[in-house]
Amino acid sequence: MLEAISPIDGRYHHKTKELSAYFSEFALIKYRLQVELEYLAALKDDLQLEELKGLVLEELSKRIAQFDLKDAEKIKDIEKRTNHDVKAVEYFIKEKMTELGLAQYQEFVHFGLTSQDINNTAIPLSLKEGMKSVYLPLFSDLKQQIEGLAVEWENVPMLARTHGQAASPTTVGKEIRVFAERLEQQLKQLNTLPYSAKFGGATGNMNAHYVAYPDIDWHQFARNFVENRLQLKRSYPTTQIEHYDNLAAIFHVCSRINTILIDFCRDIWTYISMDYFKQKLVAGEVGSSTMPHKVNPIDFENAEGNLGIANALFTHMASKLPISRLQRDLTDSTVLRNVGVPLAHTLIAFKSIQKGLKKLILNSDKLQQDLSHNWAVVAEAIQTVLRKKGYPQAYEALKGLTRTNKVIDEKNIHIFIDSLMLDNETKTQLKRISPHNYIGKL
């Protein structure tokens, strides 16, 4: 691990290793094998081809179920000869069939297909399962953690800031809830997006299939195969490759989720710097190599950095993959091999945010202190009530009071209220308003 070029497989391997089952080279080979075998099964079951017997799949599936790193290395050895990764998988399966005495059925392996029929089903399948098994559970846990803090601090008053300046008070919980709601909306969008796959032969028209078996509805076969067997969405019509438009949409949503979390991390970082939050001390942990007192918000900084890297890759993939010269070029191939990379950086960030949130301690004294030192923020409330009463130039009157260099405190506010030509009931109402209770309603 110390020799790994990427921190994903080095420093952060313990945070990302669960993605290996879906996005490693081993995983890609295994998913290709799965698709090839599912295709053989579809040829047998859906089309009832006499040439293909159940024995093929039963015996072969047993052997492939034991697929391990040694087998994957054998496929890589074949690839060295063929200089073609998918063809290497095909030859591996054929070798297994020969070992089982099933050589007479070999030519139904990869029958009528191009490599992209395999890649463009294996990759969305791995992405769908990786998202379902790893990304979505972790994202849901993080969202629930944020929602829990929103509930816990729902009624804790806090001075809000617009343009960095003191503004109408809010609550800590409400500000946290804003992010929870934004994340929820993106999750809903993510869950509506299909995982699309291309399956249509060399140029999308099932040419080879129709010339071999002209009486079979091969497009219907392809729809059944992709949508019923693999539980993906078949794209049609296509060129040699998948459009990648829905894949781009998935990456765009993931990027927006990350952008929201960058915004969240920066706000939490700022609240920590304002002393609204303190952080739990971790025994033995060092904040600075020279300043012993420091407890830095490193988890949120780490998350922000990793989210930025992830978004750079998500953005590139979303803008690059839907573009291919004519029927196809190979630029999509090398890009798709990196699908797991932005997801890995995203996972690192999710876990860092979770860790950072667990350290937060609400500093109620500082929150109350800032509210008490900023009575000018109730000017909005007072001038609004005055407007309701039809008081002339209400805004201007409060502007004259508050936009001075002198301290605006409770005493000055109440002196001002007493100077107004108002009935005593209204004056009493205005005097009840304070920075601590002028928080609106969520």
Side-chain angles (χ1 to χ4, degrees), residues 26-195:
F26 174 82
L28 178 56
I29 293 171
K30 194 169 184 178
Y31 273 101
R32 284 169 173 159
L33 272 172
Q34 180 182 342
V35 171
E36 291 280 14
L37 286 178
E38 289 288 354
Y39 177 59
L40 274 173
L43 288 174
K44 177 181 73 72
D45 296 339
D46 294 6
L47 302 180
Q48 299 180 348
L49 297 178
E50 290 300 323
E51 298 95 325
L52 195 61
K53 305 300 181 183
L55 181 63
V56 176
L57 297 177
E58 291 174 14
E59 293 300 319
L60 193 58
S61 294
K62 289 179 183 177
R63 189 70 63 91
I64 299 301
Q66 301 169 359
F67 185 77
D68 56 19
L69 285 173
K70 185 177 180 180
D71 289 322
E73 288 168 357
K74 187 171 184 180
I75 290 176
K76 296 302 291 185
D77 288 338
I78 298 172
E79 185 183 341
K80 290 175 183 177
R81 300 197 310 268
T82 62
N83 197 29
H84 198 288
D85 47 9
V86 176
K87 202 67 177 175
V89 173
E90 176 189 342
Y91 287 167
F92 174 81
I93 296 173
K94 288 181 175 180
E95 286 182 11
K96 292 292 183 184
M97 294 177 74
T98 299
E99 292 173 9
L100 293 169
L102 302 170
Q104 66 268 38
Y105 304 114
Q106 284 182 346
E107 294 313 313
F108 283 104
V109 179
H110 203 71
F111 179 78
L113 301 182
T114 185
S115 59
Q116 287 308 100
D117 293 315
I118 302 303
N119 287 331
N120 286 163
T121 47
I123 290 173
L125 184 60
S126 68
L127 178 61
K128 180 181 179 181
E129 294 185 356
M131 293 288 282
K132 180 181 178 181
S133 299
V134 182
Y135 177 94
L136 288 173
L138 185 59
F139 176 65
S140 296
D141 286 346
L142 174 58
K143 187 168 68 71
Q144 289 176 10
Q145 188 177 7
I146 293 172
E147 289 168 349
L149 294 178
V151 172
E152 181 181 349
W153 298 327
E154 184 176 12
N155 298 313
V156 179
M158 179 180 77
L159 183 69
R161 293 185 181 271
T162 58
H163 308 278
Q165 308 302 305
S168 302
T170 182
T171 72
V172 177
K174 177 261 172 177
E175 298 309 306
I176 300 294
R177 190 177 299 279
V178 168
F179 291 100
E181 172 61 18
R182 293 172 68 186
L183 293 172
E184 175 64 23
Q185 292 306 313
Q186 295 306 311
L187 178 60
K188 288 179 179 178
Q189 290 188 39
L190 185 59
N191 286 334
T192 65
L193 294 172
Y195 290 82

Side-chain angles (χ1 to χ4, degrees), residues 313-353:
L313 291 168
F314 278 138
T315 300
H316 172 67
M317 291 181 177
S319 63
K320 184 274 153 292
L321 287 171
I323 299 172
S324 184
R325 296 172 183 87
L326 302 181
Q327 276 286 328
R328 83 158 303 202
D329 59 58
L330 274 174
T331 53
D332 65 311
S333 178
T334 190
V335 171
L336 285 171
R337 289 180 180 277
N338 288 277
V339 167
V341 178
L343 289 171
H345 284 287
T346 298
L347 251 63
I348 294 167
F350 284 0
K351 293 178 180 181
S352 291
I353 295 172

Side-chain angles (χ1 to χ4, degrees), residues 238-432:
T238 68
T239 61
Q240 187 183 95
I241 64 173
E242 160 63 24
H243 311 312
Y244 298 126
D245 297 327
N246 285 325
L247 190 61
I250 291 169
F251 292 157
H252 277 138
V253 176
C254 289
S255 177
R256 285 198 298 275
I257 287 171
N258 288 355
T259 297
I260 291 167
L261 289 172
I262 289 173
D263 196 22
F264 178 72
C265 287
R266 290 180 180 177
D267 275 13
I268 297 297
W269 186 99
T270 302
Y271 291 141
I272 292 172
S273 73
M274 293 163 60
D275 210 23
Y276 284 4
F277 291 118
K278 292 185 178 297
Q279 298 178 93
K280 294 178 182 177
L281 301 177
V282 178
E285 191 172 273
V286 174
S288 167
S289 62
T290 186
M291 293 176 282
H293 68 284
K294 295 191 73 178
V295 183
N296 296 326
I298 55 174
D299 301 301
F300 300 103
E301 293 169 342
N302 174 279
E304 183 180 338
N306 277 286
L307 292 168
I309 294 172
N311 276 7
L313 291 168
F314 278 138
T315 300
H316 172 67
M317 291 181 177
S319 63
K320 184 274 153 292
L321 287 171
I323 299 172
S324 184
R325 296 172 183 87
L326 302 181
Q327 276 286 328
R328 83 158 303 202
D329 59 58
L330 274 174
T331 53
D332 65 311
S333 178
T334 190
V335 171
L336 285 171
R337 289 180 180 277
N338 288 277
V339 167
V341 178
L343 289 171
H345 284 287
T346 298
L347 251 63
I348 294 167
F350 284 0
K351 293 178 180 181
S352 291
I353 295 172
Q354 288 182 311
K355 182 179 178 182
L357 290 177
K358 290 176 182 178
K359 293 181 182 178
L360 293 183
I361 302 172
L362 200 66
N363 188 356
S364 300
D365 290 342
K366 178 61 177 178
L367 289 164
Q368 292 293 320
Q369 184 184 80
D370 267 15
L371 288 167
S372 297
H373 289 173
N374 284 279
W375 272 80
V377 297
V378 303
E380 179 193 43
I382 295 171
Q383 63 99 5
T384 303
V385 174
L386 294 182
R387 286 183 179 217
K388 174 186 174 183
K389 296 289 184 180
Y391 197 93
Q393 295 187 310
Y395 175 86
E396 288 72 19
L398 270 298
K399 179 180 176 183
L401 169 67
T402 57
R403 296 190 68 167
T404 65
N405 289 324
K406 68 178 182 179
V407 175
I408 305 299
D409 55 16
E410 180 180 13
K411 179 180 178 181
N412 290 331
I413 290 290
H414 287 188
I415 290 173
F416 172 78
I417 293 171
D418 286 333
S419 71
L420 299 172
M421 300 296 291
L422 293 170
D423 59 88
N424 288 333
E425 182 179 351
T426 301
K427 289 182 178 180
T428 300
Q429 176 191 355
L430 294 176
K431 288 181 179 180
R432 291 196 191 103

